[in-house]
Each structure stands twice: as C-alpha cells, then as structure tokens.
Amino acid sequence: MLRKVVIWAIAVVLASLSALSAIGAISKKKAPDLAMAVVPLNGFAAETVSSNRVKLDIAQNNGNFVDVVSDKALSQAKKAFETEPLTPQAVTVIALTKDSGRQRQLIEQAYNLSRREQLVTGWLIVNSASENNIPSILRYYDSALRTSSSSEPIVLPILAKALENDDFVDPMADFLGNKPPWVESFWLQALATPEAINNAAELRKATFNRGERNDTEARDSRIIQALIRQQEYVSAQELYDLFTASKNRKLIIRNGNFASENDYPPIDWQLTVNGQFGATVDDGKLKISAVGGSGGVFARQIIKLPKKLLQLRVALDQAIPSNAHLSLDLACAEKNIAKSKPIKIRLLEKSVISKISNEKSECQYYWLSVVGRSDEGLDGFDLSFDSISLRPIV
C-alpha cells in the first residue's frame, strides 16, 4: 500500500546522509580522525567516525540501511558509547547489529537522546514506512524539519510527492491540524507537484476552518489557480464554494454584478493590469481602460455551461465610443475533446442581449473573456460594465 512512501523515505535518507557527510561544524565533526588522536579518547569523535562509516555504506547501498555493520564502525561505536554513553549515533550503530525487535527499542532511545541526528531519524522513518505507519513517518519527518533548516529542500518534496497516495491524505490532515511551523512551505511544495494536486485539494477540504480564512486566503487562491492550470475544474469549483460559502452556486457567471472582490481567480474574475490596458472591480462595476493602440483580455473566468440554450445579457453604464472595439469571447477550456468553435459576441451597444447554444457541444468548461482594443493613433478609452449574466432559457 505504501510502497511509494517507503521508496521516498529511503530516498530522503540517502540525500540527507550524503549531505551530512560533507558538512561539519567543529573538530569532532569536521576532522574526527584528528580528534581521535588526542588522549584521552574523544567519545563524540569516535561516534562521528563510526556513523560516517555507516553513512558511507548506506550511500553505496543505494540509500538502504546495511544488513551488516562493518567491524570498524561497530568498534568505534562501542568506544564512543564507553566514553560518552549519551551518543545517539553510536547507540544507533550498535543497535543495527541487534535483532529487529531490539533495534527499534534502542534506536527510539537514541532518538530521545537527540532529535537532531539524521542517521537516527532516517532509520526510524524507514522502519515506520516498512510497517505502513504513516502517522509515525510524519512525526519523524516533522522532527527533521523542526531541528534542521537544511532539511526542508529534501523533506518537503517527499511529503508533497506522498500526496499522490490517497492513504496519505487523512493522516496528513490530522498532522497539519497541529499547525507545524513548516505548513506554508509544505503547501507551496504541494502546489508545485502536479501529480499530487487532486489530493492537495482533498487535503485542503479536510483542514478547512472558516475562522482561519483571513490567514489562508492567499494560499487558498494559489490552490485554486494550481487546480485550474491542471484543468481540475470540479475540484476548483468545490473549493471556491467552500471558501466563499457561496449562495449563488447556480449562477453560471460568478460575481457578474461585480458586487464583491475577486479573491479566487479565475473561478471569479481574473483581471489584467499593465501599463497599456487593464481592469479593476470597484464600486459595483467592472472598469476597463486602454491607451491608444493597446488591448487584449481585460478580464476572464472559468464557467461551466449546461447543455442548453442560454441567454447572455451585458450592460454598460455608457455608450461605447467609436475607437473601442469590445467583445465577449467564449472558448473551450478542456483538452482531449472535440472542441466547439470559439464564440465572439461583439459589444456595440450600451446593452446587449444574445442567445448562445451549448446543446450540441462536448465541452462543458469555457473561458469567458472580456476582450477589447483601442484604435491606433487615437485616444484610449475608459468604460464600465454594470453586469454580465448568462442564464438558461426555460
């Protein structure tokens, strides 16, 4: 069931130990062989020599813990333990020579001595994975993340990748409920892992708390945008409804009266703003402007069209000047289907009513775009939309 998690756990151990072998702090870590030459024996230096031998064996064994510890590594571990009994890595090396039942007991004791030693944490992760114990895996990964700032680039991609596994969602939701300090970094990594995006949405549903909305709005907006990039429109809509407690779920165009802010584009309006043309939602209107010779998509959102005949209504608060060329465009947003031809509805009057049929199309999800351009060599324009609606004709 957790074969992938096991593989990822072993991979993170290999990466962590390889990095650990190359980084030191003081003489007993940086030059343990030199420290070993000093009398009396430095137990911590002996521990480092022993653990480095085991780490090298692990690296040469494709990231897997070795079945047999070398005599040299075991000898140094025993010397370290005799001199300094509180040496967690030495305890771990000695434990690797014991039977499986005794191993776990000793290495957990080593973990209680120090939660900063990745040889110790790495073994516990691998062992927990072999037992399909996801809560335990998460506990030890959390320990690695809390005790070593350098572990984030290694551990977080592993956790994000693990979201491909459906069995990982509920334990991860329980764990994130404790609000670990790395939670925002985890979400950023999860959103950069396309294979995990569907379960990332399920994880967000499981952890949602309406009282936290102000603290998570920017993150939640990124989750919706990531889902849209992956064309996971159903999940994006479900999250939008959850985040907004939407009372207008039956409306095809969301915020078509521009009464609220656009917190979760492009489920609600995604606005373009640049130095040449742009759009804002303000005071109950969609306001667009363009300098001469500029234009493009001012605003857009993803909508779901039923297989019905529909009526489109567009209302502006003023007549459209002759130098402004405006349209409302509909283009299929789905792939791998027989797409319908894009629809372009010219906006020539202050009020426009038009009929659209989606009865014979295989496409359900469309990009609805407000498109416009100002004539070259003339002044630009400023216009405001009062409303845009699309409803089935009963």
Side-chain angles (χ1 to χ4, degrees), residues 356-369:
I356 297 171
S357 176
N358 196 48
E359 294 169 294
K360 297 181 180 180
S361 174
E362 294 298 319
C363 189
Q364 292 187 81
Y365 290 92
Y366 287 80
W367 283 108
L368 172 73
S369 303

Side-chain angles (χ1 to χ4, degrees), residues 104-153:
R104 178 86 191 194
Q105 181 183 6
L106 287 171
I107 295 177
E108 284 182 340
Q109 290 175 355
Y111 176 76
N112 290 331
L113 290 174
S114 173
R115 301 187 177 186
R116 296 181 177 275
E117 301 299 344
Q118 291 179 344
L119 179 65
V120 181
T121 305
W123 187 93
L124 289 168
I125 289 171
V126 173
N127 182 259
S128 298
S130 69
E131 296 177 351
N132 295 334
N133 189 336
I134 298 179
S136 183
I137 293 171
L138 289 173
R139 181 162 65 93
Y140 294 124
Y141 274 142
D142 175 59
S143 178
L145 288 165
R146 289 174 184 268
T147 57
S148 173
S149 59
S150 63
S151 67
E152 277 201 5

Side-chain angles (χ1 to χ4, degrees), residues 149-167:
S149 59
S150 63
S151 67
E152 277 201 5
I154 300 170
V155 173
L156 291 180
I158 302 304
L159 293 178
K161 185 75 173 173
L163 273 181
E164 287 183 45
N165 189 321
D166 294 345
D167 296 324

Side-chain angles (χ1 to χ4, degrees), residues 256 258 285-286 313-318 347 349-353 384-389:
F258 312 110
K285 298 180 184 294
L286 172 65
R313 288 179 175 267
V314 181
L316 291 92
D317 70 351
Q318 64 197 87
L347 304 181
E349 306 290 340
K350 181 179 176 181
S351 178
V352 175
I353 300 176
S384 294
F385 288 77
D386 287 330
S387 64
I388 303 173
S389 67

Side-chain angles (χ1 to χ4, degrees), residues 29 31 33 42 51 67 231 316:
K29 293 284 187 181
D33 291 321
N42 187 316
S51 64
D67 294 327
Q231 299 192 8
L316 291 92

Side-chain angles (χ1 to χ4, degrees), residues 30-328:
K30 193 171 184 179
D33 291 321
L34 177 61
M36 288 282 291
V38 178
V39 178
L41 176 69
N42 187 316
F44 295 108
E47 176 193 37
T48 300
V49 170
S50 174
S51 64
N52 282 348
R53 290 183 184 277
V54 172
K55 292 169 191 176
L56 180 60
D57 289 340
I58 292 172
Q60 293 175 343
N61 196 34
N62 297 319
N64 297 302
F65 275 83
V66 293
D67 294 327
V68 178
V69 174
S70 70
D71 292 338
K72 290 184 179 179
L74 180 59
S75 173
Q76 296 297 343
K78 289 179 177 179
K79 290 179 181 179
F81 183 75
E82 290 169 358
T83 307
E84 298 286 350
L86 303 181
T87 46
Q89 293 189 96
V91 172
T92 298
V93 173
I94 295 170
L96 292 177
T97 67
K98 306 298 182 181
D99 62 77
S100 57
R102 186 67 172 147
Q103 275 186 359
R104 178 86 191 194
Q105 181 183 6
L106 287 171
I107 295 177
E108 284 182 340
Q109 290 175 355
Y111 176 76
N112 290 331
L113 290 174
S114 173
R115 301 187 177 186
R116 296 181 177 275
E117 301 299 344
Q118 291 179 344
L119 179 65
V120 181
T121 305
W123 187 93
L124 289 168
I125 289 171
V126 173
N127 182 259
S128 298
S130 69
E131 296 177 351
N132 295 334
N133 189 336
I134 298 179
S136 183
I137 293 171
L138 289 173
R139 181 162 65 93
Y140 294 124
Y141 274 142
D142 175 59
S143 178
L145 288 165
R146 289 174 184 268
T147 57
S148 173
S149 59
S150 63
S151 67
E152 277 201 5
I154 300 170
V155 173
L156 291 180
I158 302 304
L159 293 178
K161 185 75 173 173
L163 273 181
E164 287 183 45
N165 189 321
D166 294 345
D167 296 324
F168 199 79
V169 176
D170 288 342
M172 191 64 177
D174 291 340
F175 206 84
L176 293 184
N178 296 322
K179 296 184 179 180
W182 42 267
V183 60
E184 293 301 328
S185 297
F186 165 76
W187 278 111
L188 287 174
Q189 186 64 53
L191 297 183
T193 309
E195 300 84 358
I197 193 63
N198 271 328
N199 278 342
E202 293 303 312
L203 178 63
R204 186 63 190 103
K205 291 176 190 176
T207 59
F208 179 72
N209 181 340
R210 190 160 302 283
E212 69 179 4
R213 181 180 173 221
N214 291 337
D215 296 330
T216 64
E217 190 174 289
R219 178 227 292 166
D220 292 337
S221 181
R222 289 193 296 268
I223 294 174
I224 284 179
Q225 290 171 36
L227 287 165
I228 295 296
R229 286 195 296 271
Q230 294 297 109
Q231 299 192 8
E232 299 293 347
Y233 302 125
V234 174
S235 293
Q237 177 67 65
E238 289 174 350
L239 283 181
Y240 176 83
D241 290 341
L242 180 67
F243 297 154
T244 61
S246 176
K247 298 179 180 179
N248 301 310
R249 298 185 183 188
K250 294 183 179 179
L251 295 180
I252 295 174
I253 298 176
R254 288 164 293 278
N255 196 24
N257 60 359
F258 312 110
S260 59
E261 296 181 2
N262 300 294
D263 297 324
Y264 303 106
I267 292 294
D268 51 26
W269 294 106
Q270 184 179 55
L271 306 175
T272 298
V273 180
N274 60 41
Q276 300 297 309
F277 69 96
T280 60
V281 170
D282 184 43
D283 196 25
K285 298 180 184 294
L286 172 65
K287 299 178 180 181
I288 67 172
S289 61
V291 301
S294 71
V297 176
F298 287 88
R300 68 174 188 166
Q301 68 172 253
I302 284 286
I303 63 173
K304 182 181 180 181
L305 292 187
K307 290 185 178 297
K308 294 182 178 181
L309 185 64
L310 306 155
Q311 184 178 75
L312 173 72
R313 288 179 175 267
V314 181
L316 291 92
D317 70 351
Q318 64 197 87
I320 299 174
S322 59
N323 66 322
H325 306 280
L326 300 180
S327 67
L328 206 65

